[in-house]
Amino acid sequence: GVMKYRNLLMRRFRRAWYSVENDVELAWNVLKKAITESVEEVCGRRKCRKKKRTRWWNREVEGAVKRKKEAYSRWLQVKSIGAKEEYRKAKREASHVIRTAK
């Protein structure tokens, strides 16, 4: 593994080094390409999986959570007992909808 990587890297780097001619950006790109190609050849490439979505998340859950967030925001702005009760009611509703969906 390590020796194969080192040999590949040195071979690629030597081959490309003579074409850079005092250009720092080009030298960096050559080095970066040599490293990444050598690593890929020795270690392989792994496909990244897309982030899984939860099965229970649907429009109903999304709406309930959105209403809860809006009620919380209103409560923070107004600081009244009525706004707090609205938030607590929306919070209970969102919790119930999530539990049902799961």
Side-chain angles (χ1 to χ4, degrees):
V2 174
M3 291 307 293
K4 183 178 178 183
Y5 168 73
R6 184 179 294 161
N7 292 335
L8 280 171
L9 181 61
M10 291 309 292
R11 195 174 332 126
R12 283 191 171 110
F13 194 62
R14 273 191 220 116
R15 197 177 321 135
W17 183 251
Y18 298 106
S19 64
V20 293
E21 295 182 23
N22 298 329
D23 186 353
V24 176
E25 282 295 317
L26 187 56
W28 165 246
N29 287 329
V30 165
L31 178 62
K32 185 171 82 170
K33 186 177 178 186
I35 291 170
T36 55
E37 286 177 352
S38 299
V39 167
E40 278 184 31
E41 192 170 324
V42 174
C43 300
R45 184 170 268 255
R46 192 171 175 188
K47 289 186 178 181
C48 295
R49 286 184 260 150
K50 289 185 179 179
K51 190 174 182 180
K52 289 185 178 180
R53 293 190 64 202
T54 53
R55 293 180 185 166
W56 51 268
W57 189 267
N58 56 32
R59 290 185 190 272
E60 186 180 5
V61 171
E62 187 174 358
V65 170
K66 185 177 180 183
R67 286 189 296 277
K68 180 191 79 158
K69 286 181 178 182
E70 289 170 351
Y72 181 72
S73 182
R74 266 194 307 275
W75 175 48
L76 286 179
Q77 290 173 353
V78 178
K79 298 279 188 189
S80 71
I81 295 171
K84 184 177 182 178
E85 282 304 313
E86 282 296 315
Y87 165 64
R88 292 179 78 206
K89 181 180 173 186
K91 187 175 166 183
R92 279 193 302 273
E93 179 199 348
S95 182
H96 175 72
V97 169
I98 290 170
R99 264 194 322 275
T100 306
K102 284 184 174 181

